[in-house]
Amino acid sequence: MENSIVKNENELKIGGVLATVLANEVYKATGIKPHKGLLNKPGDLDYNNIIIDELPLDYSILDEIEYKYPENNAYYGYMTRGCINKCSFCAVWKIEPTFNQYIS
Ligand code: SF4
């Protein structure tokens, strides 16, 4: 693949809410088996002890694109994660059924 930002296409990963909830559809469309669920344990994606879900967001990736992110003076973080309710339209409880009050 020319002009690719992916060094090795075989290392391309798909994850997140859509990939978790619609994993079969994503696989059919891309041929890539999605990572379903969280990255909240060491070794979820690779073989080190880093818990990816606890890392701050990497805003440096925005420097690699021409798009000017409108909220470029903001910072996102989680105060809580998960939910014990099961609203039919929602994906939160399907991915994170345990409520966590605070993540440092
Ligand atoms: S919408 Fe989702 S996150 Fe909100 S209460 Fe319902 S299940 Fe929980």
Side-chain angles (χ1 to χ4, degrees):
M1 183 184 301
E2 209 167 302
N3 295 323
S4 174
I5 61 171
V6 178
K7 293 176 185 161
N8 179 351
E9 289 179 42
N10 295 324
E11 292 293 318
L12 186 61
K13 313 249 188 258
I14 300 177
V17 176
L18 183 142
T20 298
V21 177
L22 299 172
N24 290 336
E25 288 80 355
V26 168
Y27 178 71
K28 284 180 197 160
T30 65
I32 299 170
K33 188 177 175 189
H35 174 88
K36 292 175 23 178
L38 305 177
L39 297 170
N40 61 351
K41 297 182 298 299
D44 268 344
L45 271 190
D46 48 28
Y47 304 104
N48 59 42
N49 288 324
I50 294 172
I51 299 173
I52 295 168
D53 209 27
E54 294 182 355
L55 295 173
L57 299 179
D58 181 7
Y59 290 103
S60 69
I61 62 173
L62 297 175
D63 297 334
E64 299 173 8
I65 57 175
E66 292 180 21
Y67 176 72
K68 178 80 170 161
Y69 194 60
E71 298 178 18
N72 58 56
N73 64 351
Y75 186 87
Y76 285 94
Y78 290 107
M79 296 299 289
T80 65
R81 296 290 298 264
C83 185
I84 61 169
N85 296 315
K86 295 187 174 177
C87 301
S88 62
F89 56 85
C90 185
V92 171
W93 61 271
K94 294 175 185 172
I95 300 170
E96 299 178 84
T98 303
F99 178 75
N100 290 306
Q101 219 164 19
Y102 176 72
I103 297 172
S104 62

